[in-house]
Amino acid sequence: MNKDELLKEYVETFGEKGQDVFFSPGRINVIGEHTDYNGGHVFPAAISLGVYGVYGPRDDKKVRLFSGNVNGNIVEFDIDDTTVEKGERFWANYFKGMITYLREKYDNIDHGFNLYIKANLPSGSGLSSSAAIEMLMGIILKDEFKLDVDRVNLAKMGQRTENEFVGLNSGIMDQFACIMGKKDSAIFLDCNTLEYEYLPLELGNYEIIIMATNKPHTLADSAYNDRVRECHDALTKLQEKLDIKALGELDNDTFDEYSYLINDKTELKRARHAVSENQRAIRATKAMKDGDLEKIGRLINASHISLHYDYEVTGKELDTLAEASWKQDGVLGARMIGGGFGGSAIAIVKKDKAEEFKKNVGKTYRDKIGYDASFYDAEIVDGSKMI
Ligand code: ADP
Ligand code: MG
């Protein structure tokens, strides 16, 4: 998407010139799924698919938003309006939350603005378009109003937006990856302490291929909140004997030893995933430092299996993508990413096998599911910024 085109679309929308253009990336996650809200580790990276925004200041207190991806009108509200939007205007909540939380801290956000947004990132596809637009709003307000807020705090406000304006009890991974991303690196993040480390994604002859299921209408949000609650209930039972604040503090052996406290089959499976997935993320990043790509691939496959059997968030679309990927030549590993049920998967594939891979997996998917999956080769890029 080019800057001139975006500026032109801004003029067509608002009838005047826009001032600055920003980009905020989506994300993938190499390993560590559903571990962020369990105080475990994740290993995400920002991608070159994302959301662009053209900003123009206003003299009054109105915010006027237009999305080039939504069939609808300009959404307008006052900067001091903190009510949660419903219905057609729901997407404005991602912006409204960020404005609300930043204005709580910075009273110099004293005038409104127009904002034109356009994404080349499919929305609802597990690549975190929601965090991309939250962090877009965050970086715009930070830069335009010269706020001294740091990026990690923007991520925290994005998580709060998701929790309180959208109603999804998600962790901090998505926002952290979008705003803290670094070109050609993934972020090894401890979601308990927010300590992090950039690790170059050195894949040699291999590349990461993103596969979107294109599954329509998933009911992922309520299932997501169920998982959060089930893990919390399991944690409470373990706390009868263990002095821990999060499942992410446990290694596999300690969890096994105390698992008798969790007298509920579902909670046991959810907690087992949270613990084992965190350990896999730690092992995979160690393997990355050792250059052991095959081991990373096996851990990625094991992650999918655990998300299927223990966490039960895959579904036939994601299973078809992962299982078809595992059968192809030159594949190190494949798994679902994001919340699950629909959304996307990733595969690590030998570069010279990539075309054949897409053809074969694409065909298996169409035959089994009845419509096409989409394949994306994204680059790993820096976090949200003015362009
Ligand atoms: P994901 O974050 O995996 O893409 P979510 O369900 O968390 O999926 O977020 C998708 C929602 O974010 C959409 O339903 C919409 O409300 C909002 N959204 C995403 N991209 C855009 C966009 N380009 N324009 C307007 N709203 C968007
Ligand atoms: Mg999201």
Side-chain angles (χ1 to χ4, degrees):
M1 225 164 281
N2 93 33
K3 227 170 136 172
D4 291 340
E5 232 169 79
L6 290 159
L7 284 161
K8 199 173 132 239
E9 287 166 23
Y10 180 98
V11 174
E12 285 163 10
T13 308
F14 296 111
E16 57 185 44
K17 272 192 167 173
Q19 183 171 294
D20 294 307
V21 184
F22 293 80
F23 174 73
S24 187
R27 63 100 193 87
I28 55 168
N29 182 24
V30 180
I31 195 161
E33 209 64 72
H34 285 281
T35 47
D36 56 351
Y37 56 82
N38 284 308
H41 292 76
V42 294
F43 193 37
I47 57 175
S48 50
L49 298 169
V51 187
Y52 293 84
V54 185
Y55 169 91
R58 296 178 62 88
D59 295 331
D60 57 17
K61 293 213 160 181
K62 289 188 188 344
V63 174
R64 305 189 84 214
L65 301 176
F66 187 83
S67 169
N69 305 98
V70 172
N71 241 337
N73 300 318
I74 292 173
V75 171
E76 185 182 300
F77 53 88
D78 278 11
I79 45 168
D80 47 18
D81 173 0
T82 61
T83 54
V84 174
E85 298 280 353
K86 296 200 170 64
E88 262 177 35
R89 288 165 57 110
F90 189 81
W91 63 275
N93 286 321
Y94 298 99
F95 298 88
K96 241 179 159 177
M98 291 303 291
I99 298 168
T100 300
Y101 300 136
L102 278 166
R103 287 191 83 242
E104 277 175 13
K105 285 206 143 170
Y106 300 96
D107 56 12
N108 65 316
I109 306 176
D110 55 0
H111 63 80
F113 54 87
N114 298 328
L115 179 59
Y116 175 84
I117 70 159
K118 184 101 174 245
N120 58 4
L121 173 71
S123 130
S125 63
L127 302 173
S128 211
S129 66
S130 63
I133 58 180
E134 288 150 9
M135 295 302 96
L136 178 74
M137 187 73 271
I139 202 71
I140 290 175
L141 293 174
K142 174 177 164 63
D143 284 4
E144 298 292 346
F145 290 89
K146 311 221 167 351
L147 312 178
D148 68 358
V149 59
D150 67 36
R151 284 176 174 255
V152 173
N153 274 323
L154 289 179
K156 288 182 185 169
M157 290 179 194
Q159 182 189 7
R160 202 174 148 202
T161 296
E162 203 89 38
N163 297 166
E164 292 172 19
F165 271 77
V166 180
L168 186 71
N169 296 324
S170 49
I172 199 160
M173 172 175 74
D174 295 355
Q175 291 79 9
F176 201 98
C178 295
I179 196 88
M180 296 295 286
K182 182 170 160 187
K183 188 172 163 43
D184 298 329
S185 290
I187 312 168
F188 183 45
L189 170 67
D190 180 337
C191 299
N192 217 356
T193 60
L194 294 190
E195 276 170 40
Y196 63 94
E197 179 184 0
Y198 291 110
L199 293 181
L201 266 183
E202 283 164 350
L203 299 175
N205 297 329
Y206 290 84
E207 64 178 299
I208 295 178
I209 294 178
I210 300 170
M211 309 177 270
T213 59
N214 295 324
K215 182 180 180 181
H217 319 299
T218 60
L219 293 170
D221 283 15
S222 63
Y224 192 106
N225 289 343
D226 289 344
R227 300 300 183 280
V228 176
R229 199 192 54 246
E230 286 154 2
C231 286
H232 177 265
D233 291 348
L235 173 65
T236 306
K237 290 175 182 169
L238 291 169
Q239 283 168 332
E240 284 167 26
K241 299 272 183 202
L242 287 167
D243 180 22
I244 52 168
K245 289 199 181 63
L247 293 173
E249 290 172 41
L250 297 176
D251 59 33
N252 291 326
D253 285 349
T254 311
F255 174 73
D256 184 54
E257 205 173 308
Y258 287 89
S259 58
Y260 72 94
L261 294 165
I262 310 172
N263 57 352
D264 178 279
K265 185 178 157 199
T266 304
E267 289 169 16
L268 179 69
K269 290 201 290 183
R270 307 303 187 241
R272 189 166 59 204
H273 169 78
V275 172
S276 68
E277 180 71 358
N278 180 43
Q279 295 304 317
R280 277 187 289 275
I282 294 169
R283 286 152 73 199
T285 44
K286 182 168 182 308
M288 182 66 92
K289 289 179 186 169
D290 297 342
D292 190 346
L293 292 180
E294 295 196 348
K295 180 164 185 170
I296 294 171
R298 289 191 296 275
L299 289 164
I300 285 174
N301 295 345
S303 167
H304 186 89
I305 286 292
S306 177
L307 288 157
H308 172 108
Y309 287 106
D310 278 350
Y311 226 59
E312 299 180 280
V313 292
T314 56
K316 72 173 191 287
E317 296 81 5
L318 288 166
D319 286 334
T320 301
L321 287 177
E323 286 161 18
S325 298
W326 296 341
K327 291 193 183 122
Q328 307 305 313
D329 269 356
V331 172
L332 282 181
R335 68 177 199 90
M336 62 150 275
I337 61 168
F341 300 103
S344 297
I346 55 167
I348 303 185
V349 184
K350 229 182 196 148
K351 285 177 183 160
D352 61 7
K353 299 280 183 195
E355 286 318 305
E356 195 183 328
F357 171 89
K358 291 180 209 169
K359 200 175 106 227
N360 293 347
V361 174
K363 181 174 184 322
T364 305
Y365 189 81
R366 193 178 327 107
D367 290 349
K368 228 175 172 165
I369 306 297
Y371 51 84
D372 283 324
S374 302
F375 295 85
Y376 303 98
D377 313 285
E379 285 166 43
I380 304 302
V381 302
D382 287 329
S384 316
K385 62 177 183 190
M386 194 187 283
I387 54 171

